[in-house]
Amino acid sequence: PEFFRKELGFGTAHDVAGLVAFLASDAAAKVTGQAIGVGGDRLQLWSHPEAVATEYHDGGWDFQTLVEKFDALFGNRLQSVGEKFPELPAELQPEPAGTK
């Protein structure tokens, strides 16, 4: 439905193909290091993320160390993707269970 393509940016692989081809072309020579969202009828340029916390671990971060320490180090700093999805229009709302 149009709502999904425009408001939510849901689409198909075909919707992404144009952007992939553009980024691989000389026309996009100045585009580097960008966060770009594409899907459905929507194209977005996202702001650059910046570090909100940095931690170090001698020898690097192996799986077990991350399991043990990640939540304590970063659990209270996790963020959403920054986009709040709008509510579904009435015609796209699912029917309550047992009403069919």
Side-chain angles (χ1 to χ4, degrees):
E2 182 178 338
F3 175 80
F4 288 100
R5 290 191 57 81
K6 291 192 182 308
E7 301 301 322
L8 302 179
F10 291 177
T12 66
H14 178 77
D15 296 318
V16 179
L19 177 62
V20 171
F22 171 75
L23 292 173
S25 76
D26 290 339
K30 294 181 181 178
V31 180
T32 182
Q34 300 300 300
I36 299 173
V38 63
D41 298 330
R42 188 169 78 174
L43 177 67
Q44 295 176 307
L45 182 65
W46 288 71
S47 63
H48 285 283
E50 58 184 76
V52 294
T54 302
E55 297 289 340
Y56 300 93
H57 186 265
D58 290 341
W61 293 92
D62 60 61
F63 174 77
Q64 191 57 43
T65 303
L66 287 167
V67 168
E68 294 169 3
K69 297 187 176 191
F70 189 89
D71 192 52
L73 295 172
F74 299 116
N76 65 342
R77 295 181 174 124
L78 297 177
Q79 301 173 1
S80 73
V81 297
E83 183 171 6
K84 293 183 178 162
F85 290 120
E87 189 168 326
L88 286 172
E91 67 272 11
L92 297 176
Q93 292 285 335
E95 292 182 23
T99 60
K100 287 187 175 187

